[in-house]
């Protein structure tokens, strides 16, 4: 029996954006307030899971046409490369730096290299959460 | 590396080339190439005789592991030289004999000569090494090569059984000896035999003296087939006859004798040494000769005879050690025992070697070794018969052969042993000559059995596989050489003085000089002579009436033999270990968990008690608020619900409650990052649990509550208690300040972040995070692989899905 879940789908379309925006907020705010790559990543995947529940795997694949294992792997790669990058400045592995930069719209902002590392963490978490859920969901 | 090192290793080097020689010179019997080496070595060792006779020794060291004091030191003195000459001399004869004994076409000659050369090299290494570790290495190599030689016809089950038995017993003794070597090293700090003898004061009186002594004797007794370790030797008779002649009569079984003689300067003079060697020797002597009489297989008779003769030599060495107690007081009457031991050692090698070869000839030419089938070979094999007579009469101790001389000296030694005034010998000493005399009677009987049951009587051609005839000349030469030595040593025993006296000097070092004794036939009407006459008289009488009293051998219960004990022991060991393994390796995870947790709880409890770690100090604890109490109650209730609920669904939900309460605790204790993470992770894991629950198979789905098990209860309660106690005691005994104050300041000043937790995660301790995300990625890949790759399904082998 085909169920008409119009309300769910409509609400999800709206909510997913809000959740994703909140997760991006958590990710960027991590250095100053509670949050960070891990929680941000989990929150993003929560939004994706909600989409997955409301629509189906096919639609998901159409909207997000990438393999989540690749996402996890590239996240790991980014984090590792952040560490490797510190070798170019003749400092130990995974040494981070930060500075205050004047940005066009945001004004004076602290930009830390840890953000790139955290981006890696974020991508890994999104990648693995989605991989696990999709793989289990697909399996019969 | 000097020439002598090369000499010792040369058999091993030649062994490398034997297979090549075998392959490329197919028309020539490989043995001819091998024969050259022992001959050359024999001549080479003869050249040392001059040095040795003038009382000099030769020492040459090659570094092996100098940092541990393990060096390949070769030490040539009288004792080593005697054995080296035996090994190479009899080795040459045995190789010559084996050329005619083993067929070029039928047998795998390459392996045979490789093993034989390995053995020869190892044996030379044993007798010429000064370093105990090197000696031990060669010692084990003799065990291994002997194992290989016994199982030469490995397709026979009895060969494999005999090889395994000898391996187990001799390696057991070898390992005991290694332990003895290490104990000696602890006492003296050196592995060198000479230095140990020089520092003998450190050894005598040391508390480890007796253990070391016993361990060394275990090595010597197992190798030399002393009671009760003699059982491997009769089973080793499954080896080809040249091997039995070489290893199991002339050389390897004398390695234990060598060890006892070599270590005599270290241990002799102690009552333990005297008693252990003499008593085990005389028991072996008696038991060997007694058991030999009942055998029907010629090689078995010879095997038990070897056992008994080795016991004789051992007894003599034991009695001779009394000389050391008396500090070599002159005239020393006890050295004659050692003299007899060395003399009989040479004699035994000659006559036993020739007898084995004779038996090999009989076996080779008639197809059987069973004395019940043999008889009347005298006219068909006159030379073999003569050789058998010489060997057996010498073994029985009849004049004019060399066995008579050593038997007389043996009786002298035994009679003098009764005069030893110490170590309870005044009460028990009479046993020695009596047992020796009785054993000699049995020796006489089985010697006669070998000669007369095989060669006289009626020929039974229907029972023999082949038509008997005299052996080829090449097969007869080696026993002829040995038999002529029996006669030469019999008539001119003093030609051996050049070898015997340097050997005695090695056994009794120091300033002691052996009184120059001539060995001669006629001592006058001494008690020894009457004993010999008695042996011949009683022996002849008992041999003639053997059929009547032979039944006493059937009285012994078969169950109680040492072989049954050995076999039963092996089976029992196997069964026992199997049962033990089965007892604790149940294959059930729950049992292993009980063991792991029980062990952990007990170990931690013991450790905490012993270190007195239970000091609880509640001064630094924060006051408990109402929220904490409520939350704790909720958690406790949910935990108990998990334990006692009947449905799995409630258990999963209760688990979720515990998780969310935990998140609330994090909120309460001001850890927002943790609370957020905990919330989401708990949600995901509950979802996954529900997934698992949903997919449980329908058939065995059973809704029941957890069964109560007392063990599990005790274990879980004790683990919980121990962990709580550890937590409490850790909290009350904080040894130093936490480093968190550093992070509080540095996270903003140095890392530019205000969220301390996140700064620690990505900056201060970023490496941990890096590997944690690696773990997560691996988990994702693992789940992906587990679900997507169903190889078993594809092949259709295992399919439990339906």
């Amino acid at each position: 029996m085909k169920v008409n879940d119009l309300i769910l789908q409509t609400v999800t379309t709206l909510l997913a954006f809000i959740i994703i925006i909140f997760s991006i907020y958590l990710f960027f705010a991590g250095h100053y307030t509670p949050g960070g790559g891990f929680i941000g990543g989990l929150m993003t995947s929560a939004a994706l899971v909600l989409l997955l529940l409301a629509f189906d795997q096919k639609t998901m694949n159409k909207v997000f046409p990438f393999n989540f294992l690749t996402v996890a792997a590239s996240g790991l790669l980014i984090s590792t490369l952040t560490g490797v990058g510190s070798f170019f400045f003749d400092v130990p592995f995974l040494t981070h730096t930060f500075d205050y930069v004047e940005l066009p719209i945001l004004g004076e902002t602290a930009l830390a290299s840890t953000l790139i590392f955290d981006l890696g963490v974020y991508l890994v978490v999104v990648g693995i959460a989605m991989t696990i859920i999709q793989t289990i969901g697909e399996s019969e | 590396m000097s020439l002598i090192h090369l000499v010792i290793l040369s058999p091993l080097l030649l062994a490398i080339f034997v297979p090549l020689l075998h392959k490329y010179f197919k028309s020539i019997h490989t043995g001819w190439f091998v024969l050259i080496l022992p001959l050359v070595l024999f001549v080479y060792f003869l050249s040392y005789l001059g040095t040795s006779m003038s009382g000099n020794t030769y020492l040459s060291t090659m570094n092996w592991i100098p940092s541990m004091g393990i060096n390949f030191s070769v030490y040539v003195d009288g004792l080593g030289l005697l054995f080296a000459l035996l090994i190479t001399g009899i080795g040459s004869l045995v190789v010559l004999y084996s050329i005619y004994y083993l067929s070029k076409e039928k047998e795998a000659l390459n392996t045979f000569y490789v093993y034989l050369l390995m053995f020869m090299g190892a044996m030379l290494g044993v007798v010429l090494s000064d370093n105990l570790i090197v000696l031990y290495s060669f010692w084990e190599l003799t065990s291994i090569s002997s194992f290989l030689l016994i199982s030469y016809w490995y397709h026979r089950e009895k060969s494999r059984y005999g090889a395994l038995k000898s391996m187990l017993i001799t390696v057991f003794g070898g390992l005991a000896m290694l332990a003895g070597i290490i104990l000696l090293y602890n006492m003296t700090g050196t592995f060198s035999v000479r230095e140990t003898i020089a520092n003998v004061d450190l050894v005598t009186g040391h508390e480890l003296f007796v253990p070391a002594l016993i361990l060394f004797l275990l090595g010597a007794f197992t190798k030399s087939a002393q009671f009760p370790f003699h059982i491997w030797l009769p089973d080793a008779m499954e080896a080809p006859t040249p091997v039995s002649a070489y290893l199991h009569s002339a050389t390897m079984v004398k390695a234990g004798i060598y060890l006892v003689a070599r270590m005599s300067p270290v241990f002799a003079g102690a009552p333990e040494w005297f008693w252990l060697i003499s008593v085990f020797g005389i028991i072996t002597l008696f038991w060997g000769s007694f058991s030999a009489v009942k055998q029907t297989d010629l090689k078995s008779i010879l095997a038990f005879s070897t056992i008994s003769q080795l016991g004789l030599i051992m007894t003599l060495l034991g009695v001779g050690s009394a000389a050391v107690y008396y500090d070599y007081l002159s005239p020393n009457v006890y050295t004659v025992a050692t003299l007899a031991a060395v003399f009989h050692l040479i004699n035994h090698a000659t006559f036993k070697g020739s007898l084995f070869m004779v038996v090999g000839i009989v076996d080779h030419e008639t197809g059987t070794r069973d004395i019940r089938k043999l008889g009347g070979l005298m006219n068909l094999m006159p030379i073999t018969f003569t050789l058998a007579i010489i060997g057996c009469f010498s073994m029985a101790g009849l004049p004019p052969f060399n066995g008579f001389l050593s038997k007389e000296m043996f009786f002298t030694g035994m009679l003098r042993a009764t005069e030893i005034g110490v170590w309870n010998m005044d009460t028990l000493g009479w046993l020695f000559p009596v047992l020796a005399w009785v054993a000699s009677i049995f020796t006489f009987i089985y010697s006669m059995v070998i000669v007369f049951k095989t060669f006289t009587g009626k020929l039974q051609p229907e029972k023999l596989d082949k038509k008997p005839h005299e052996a080829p000349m090449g097969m007869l030469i080696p026993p002829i050489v040995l038999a002529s030595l029996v006669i030469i040593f019999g008539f001119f025993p003093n030609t051996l003085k050049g070898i015997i006296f340097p050997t005695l000097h090695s056994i009794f070092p120091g300033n002691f000089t052996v009184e120059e004794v001539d060995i001669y036939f006629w001592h006058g009407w001494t008690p020894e002579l009457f004993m010999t006459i008695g042996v011949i008289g009683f022996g002849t009488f008992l041999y003639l009436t053997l059929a009547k009293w032979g039944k006493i051998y059937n009285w012994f219960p078969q169950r109680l033999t040492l072989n049954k004990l050995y076999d039963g022991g092996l089976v029992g060991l196997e069964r026992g270990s199997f049962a033990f393994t089965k007892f604790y390796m149940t294959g059930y995870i729950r049992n292993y968990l009980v063991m792991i947790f029980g062990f952990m709880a007990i170990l931690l409890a013991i450790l905490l008690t012993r270190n007195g770690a239970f000091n609880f100090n509640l001064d630094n604890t924060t006051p408990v608020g109402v929220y904490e109490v409520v939350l704790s109650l909720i958690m406790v209730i949910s935990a108990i619900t998990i334990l006692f609920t009947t449905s799995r669904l409630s258990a999963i939900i209760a688990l979720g409650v515990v998780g969310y309460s935990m998140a609330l605790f994090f909120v309460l204790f001001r850890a927002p990052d943790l609370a957020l993470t905990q919330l989401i992770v708990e949600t995901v894991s509950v979802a996954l649990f529900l997934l698992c629950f949903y997919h449980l198979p329908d058939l065995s789905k059973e809704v029941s509550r957890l069964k109560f098990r007392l063990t599990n209860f005790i274990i879980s309660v004790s683990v919980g208690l121990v962990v709580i106690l550890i937590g409490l005691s850790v909290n009350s005994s904080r040894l130093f300040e936490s480093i968190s104050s550093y992070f509080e300041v540095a996270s903003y000043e140095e890392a530019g972040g205000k969220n301390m937790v996140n700064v620690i995660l990505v900056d201060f301790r970023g490496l941990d995070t890096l590997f944690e995300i690696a773990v997560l990625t691996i988990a994702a890949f693992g789940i992906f692989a587990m679900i997507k790759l169903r190889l078993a399904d594809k092949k259709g082998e295992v399919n439990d899905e339906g």
Side-chain angles (χ1 to χ4, degrees):
Chain A
M1 189 179 79
K2 180 87 178 131
V3 183
N4 190 350
D5 40 12
L6 181 69
I7 298 177
L8 177 67
Q9 287 182 351
T10 318
V11 172
T12 302
T13 334
L14 283 172
L15 265 184
F17 280 101
I18 299 171
I19 298 173
I20 287 177
I21 288 167
F22 180 61
S23 76
I24 291 171
Y25 162 75
L26 276 178
F27 167 68
F28 278 110
H31 222 49
Y32 289 93
T33 50
F38 199 84
I39 302 158
L42 280 174
M43 205 59 102
T44 306
S45 23
L48 296 178
V49 168
L50 193 61
L51 285 171
L52 197 62
L53 285 175
F55 300 94
D56 54 356
Q57 185 72 55
K58 266 188 197 162
T59 327
M60 273 296 286
N61 285 347
K62 220 181 273 171
V63 182
F64 302 98
F66 37 75
N67 188 345
F68 283 101
L69 271 181
T70 325
V71 174
S74 49
L76 198 56
L77 191 71
I78 289 171
S79 293
T80 316
L81 285 180
T82 326
V84 174
S86 52
F87 289 144
F88 292 105
F89 301 96
D90 204 20
V91 283
F93 186 65
L94 273 177
T95 308
H96 292 296
T97 182
F98 70 97
D99 206 354
Y100 293 95
V101 192
E102 199 71 35
L103 290 178
I105 305 164
L106 300 168
E108 193 191 276
T109 317
L111 274 188
S113 63
T114 49
L115 201 67
I116 311 171
F117 184 81
D118 233 7
L119 179 68
V121 176
Y122 175 85
L123 288 177
V124 166
V125 172
V126 172
I128 65 124
M130 290 318 291
T131 308
I132 293 171
I133 288 163
Q134 277 189 1
T135 324
I136 295 176
E138 278 171 14
S139 78
E140 276 311 314
Chain B
M1 180 152 182
S2 61
L3 182 63
I4 189 95
H5 293 109
L6 199 67
V7 162
I8 293 179
L9 296 177
S10 62
L12 303 177
L13 295 175
L14 179 62
I16 298 173
F17 296 102
V18 163
L20 290 175
L21 292 169
H22 179 71
K23 190 170 179 192
Y24 292 106
F25 300 94
K26 267 215 173 332
S27 52
I28 310 170
H29 196 287
T30 319
W32 292 112
F33 300 108
V34 178
L35 179 60
I36 304 161
L37 183 76
L39 274 179
V40 170
L41 294 185
F42 183 67
V43 174
Y44 174 79
F45 282 118
L46 278 180
S47 72
Y48 275 92
L49 264 183
T51 327
S52 155
M53 266 197 266
S54 54
N56 293 323
T57 56
Y58 176 79
L59 178 74
S60 171
T61 302
M62 187 175 89
N63 279 358
W64 182 20
I65 315 173
S67 58
M68 301 186 70
I70 299 173
N71 294 310
F72 190 4
S73 318
V74 177
Y75 181 63
V76 188
D77 62 348
L79 184 63
L81 188 62
L82 165 67
F83 273 89
L85 285 171
L86 278 180
I87 291 158
T88 50
I90 296 185
S92 329
L93 295 173
V94 161
V95 172
L96 178 63
Y97 180 77
S98 69
I99 293 172
Y100 290 92
Y101 187 84
L102 291 174
S103 147
K104 192 167 61 182
E105 286 81 23
K106 288 182 205 150
E107 307 288 358
L109 290 176
N110 45 351
T111 53
F112 180 78
Y113 286 109
V114 166
Y115 300 159
L116 200 70
L117 283 170
M118 261 169 71
F119 172 77
M120 195 183 287
M123 205 58 214
L124 281 177
V126 166
V127 299
L128 293 177
S129 293
D130 178 54
N131 194 292
L132 282 169
I133 293 291
V134 178
L135 188 149
Y136 170 74
S137 315
F138 282 119
W139 182 278
E140 291 298 21
L141 190 56
T142 63
S143 295
I144 292 165
S145 47
S146 158
F147 168 78
L148 292 169
L149 282 167
I150 296 170
S151 57
Y152 177 63
W153 289 313
Y154 51 82
H155 48 85
R156 297 184 187 169
E157 205 203 327
K158 283 184 103 178
S159 295
R160 299 197 302 267
Y161 171 78
L164 191 64
K165 194 173 184 178
S166 74
M167 182 80 162
L168 283 175
I169 294 178
T170 52
V171 167
F172 160 72
L175 287 173
M177 191 181 91
L178 179 64
I181 290 170
I182 292 164
L183 288 188
L184 264 193
Y185 180 76
N186 276 342
M187 291 183 242
T188 59
T190 175
F191 283 124
S192 160
V193 179
R194 283 174 313 105
E195 286 171 33
T196 310
I197 294 171
N199 296 323
V200 76
D201 301 343
L202 294 173
V203 181
T204 36
H206 197 281
E207 55 183 349
L208 292 174
F209 177 77
V210 176
L213 186 154
I214 290 171
L215 288 168
F216 265 100
L217 283 185
L218 264 180
F221 283 0
T222 49
K223 200 74 161 181
S224 278
Q226 298 294 300
F227 188 88
F229 305 111
H230 66 276
I231 48 171
W232 67 267
L233 192 60
D235 283 305
M237 290 300 127
E238 291 301 320
T241 306
V243 173
S244 312
Y246 189 38
L247 273 71
H248 307 127
S249 76
T251 51
M252 189 181 88
V253 288
K254 295 208 169 91
I257 305 270
Y258 168 82
L259 188 73
V260 168
R262 181 53 91 202
M263 300 315 287
S264 272
V266 182
F267 296 114
E272 293 89 354
W273 183 259
F274 172 85
W275 274 111
L276 282 172
I277 298 181
S278 313
V279 168
F280 276 97
I282 202 117
I283 293 173
T284 314
L285 165 67
F286 175 76
W287 188 249
S289 60
F290 180 68
S291 309
V293 177
K294 71 172 166 182
Q295 307 300 324
T296 53
D297 179 78
L298 281 175
K299 273 178 105 175
S300 296
I301 302 181
L302 288 181
F304 278 106
S305 147
T306 304
I307 291 167
S308 130
Q309 307 275 325
L310 290 169
L312 186 154
I313 300 172
M314 209 54 112
T315 317
L316 284 171
L317 283 176
V319 172
S321 74
V324 180
Y325 181 81
Y326 285 109
D327 218 10
Y328 314 127
L329 283 176
S330 191
N332 198 309
V333 290
Y334 305 114
T335 47
V336 73
T338 314
L339 177 72
V342 177
F343 188 50
H344 192 71
L345 181 88
I346 303 169
N347 293 341
H348 177 249
T350 55
F351 68 68
K352 193 51 66 63
S354 80
L355 279 177
F356 265 110
M357 291 174 184
V358 162
V359 167
I361 290 171
V362 170
D363 185 18
H364 207 262
E365 307 307 338
T366 63
T368 183
R369 298 191 309 247
D370 195 329
I371 51 171
R372 288 168 299 190
K373 296 181 186 168
L374 291 165
L377 293 173
M378 187 165 65
N379 300 322
L380 293 166
M381 307 166 86
I383 306 176
T384 319
F385 174 56
T386 317
L387 293 172
I389 285 192
I390 296 172
C392 285
F393 283 16
S394 175
M395 182 156 74
L398 299 179
F401 306 106
N402 57 4
F404 172 71
L405 298 168
S406 42
K407 181 132 301 180
E408 292 283 280
M409 284 158 77
F410 169 57
F411 284 150
T412 314
M414 289 302 108
L415 287 172
R416 289 193 182 163
T418 55
E419 294 158 16
I420 298 176
V422 288
W423 310 326
N424 295 329
M425 274 306 276
D426 37 353
T427 50
L428 292 168
W430 60 271
L431 271 173
F432 282 87
V434 168
L435 274 175
W437 188 70
V438 175
S440 299
I441 293 175
F442 282 107
T443 308
F444 183 86
I445 298 170
Y446 69 70
S447 303
M448 295 307 117
V449 166
I450 295 177
V451 177
F452 293 112
K453 291 258 161 96
T454 315
F455 292 99
T456 61
K458 236 180 74 193
L459 185 66
Q460 300 160 295
E462 71 282 354
K463 287 189 183 169
L464 302 179
D465 298 343
K466 299 175 184 171
K467 204 172 145 36
H469 58 85
E470 187 59 273
M473 209 51 215
M475 219 164 170
L476 287 170
I477 288 173
I480 287 175
V481 171
L482 287 173
S484 20
L485 283 178
V486 169
I487 298 174
I488 292 170
F489 294 159
F491 281 110
F492 311 104
N494 291 317
T495 46
L496 286 174
K497 268 163 107 179
I499 300 175
I500 293 178
F501 285 106
T503 310
L504 284 182
H505 275 288
S506 314
I507 301 175
F508 298 125
N511 297 322
F512 158 73
T513 47
V514 182
E515 43 179 323
E516 293 280 319
V517 210
D518 279 340
I519 309 166
Y520 47 90
F521 272 109
W522 182 248
H523 294 267
W525 293 103
T526 50
E528 293 90 329
L529 190 64
F530 289 117
M531 282 169 86
T532 305
I533 293 169
V535 165
I536 298 171
F538 266 98
T540 318
F541 170 71
L542 284 177
Y543 171 68
L544 293 174
T545 54
L546 184 59
K548 292 210 177 78
W549 61 269
K551 294 187 195 78
I552 60 156
Y553 286 109
N554 302 333
W555 294 352
F556 288 100
Q558 284 298 309
R559 232 167 236 290
L560 286 176
T561 56
L562 283 165
N563 274 323
K564 280 272 181 316
L565 204 69
Y566 165 85
D567 292 335
L570 271 192
V571 171
L573 210 63
E574 216 166 272
R575 276 204 199 131
S577 43
F578 182 73
F580 182 65
T581 315
K582 220 179 159 188
F583 166 69
Y584 81 97
M585 299 294 270
T586 50
Y588 291 112
I589 281 190
R590 57 167 182 266
N591 292 2
Y592 301 148
L593 287 179
V594 163
M595 284 178 223
I596 292 169
F597 281 117
F599 188 73
M600 179 188 122
I602 292 168
L603 195 72
L604 285 176
I606 291 173
L607 205 69
L608 286 177
T609 326
R610 282 188 56 178
N611 292 353
F614 294 116
N615 51 335
F616 304 119
N617 175 13
L618 299 176
D619 294 345
N620 294 330
T621 43
T622 21
V624 181
V626 66
Y627 295 120
E628 285 95 332
V629 173
V630 171
L631 267 179
S632 304
L633 273 177
I634 292 172
M635 278 178 99
V636 167
I637 291 166
S638 349
I640 291 172
T641 314
I642 295 173
L643 281 181
F644 290 99
T645 181
T646 49
S647 97
R648 290 200 172 94
L649 196 61
S650 344
I652 293 168
I653 291 167
L655 193 67
V657 173
V658 173
Y660 288 124
S661 319
M662 198 68 215
L664 283 179
F665 260 119
F666 285 139
V667 171
L668 213 59
F669 294 142
R670 282 166 292 167
D673 290 273
L674 286 182
L676 272 172
T677 315
Q678 171 69 24
L679 265 177
I680 302 179
V681 167
E682 189 59 39
T683 314
V684 171
S685 51
V686 167
L688 288 179
F689 268 124
L690 285 172
L691 194 74
C692 293
F693 169 78
Y694 184 74
H695 283 291
L696 280 177
D698 283 331
L699 280 177
S700 58
K701 206 179 273 182
E702 131 186 54
V703 182
S704 68
R705 73 164 45 198
L706 214 57
K707 271 185 206 138
F708 180 79
R709 279 173 209 272
L710 190 64
T711 349
N712 293 2
F713 176 74
I714 294 170
I715 298 259
S716 47
V717 166
S718 50
V719 167
L721 266 179
V722 164
V723 171
I724 289 170
L725 287 176
I726 289 175
L728 284 177
S729 73
V730 163
N731 200 39
S732 4
S733 52
R734 190 162 281 176
L735 296 178
F736 34 75
E737 277 303 302
S738 150
I739 60 162
S740 56
S741 51
Y742 163 77
F743 288 124
E744 277 166 25
V745 181
S747 63
Y748 188 71
E749 285 177 1
E750 290 180 27
K754 282 178 187 158
N755 181 352
M756 203 170 92
V757 174
N758 202 28
V759 170
I760 290 175
L761 282 179
V762 298
D763 199 336
F764 292 124
R765 303 238 174 103
L767 198 64
D768 296 358
T769 312
L770 185 61
F771 284 100
E772 272 155 29
I773 58 176
V775 166
L776 288 177
T777 317
I778 291 167
F781 273 85
I783 290 170
F784 187 78
M786 273 202 310
I787 289 176
K788 295 283 176 184
L789 293 176
R790 295 196 181 171
L791 295 176
D793 271 8
K794 257 185 214 164
K795 287 176 192 162
E797 285 167 355
V798 184
N799 197 342
D800 294 335
E801 291 285 309

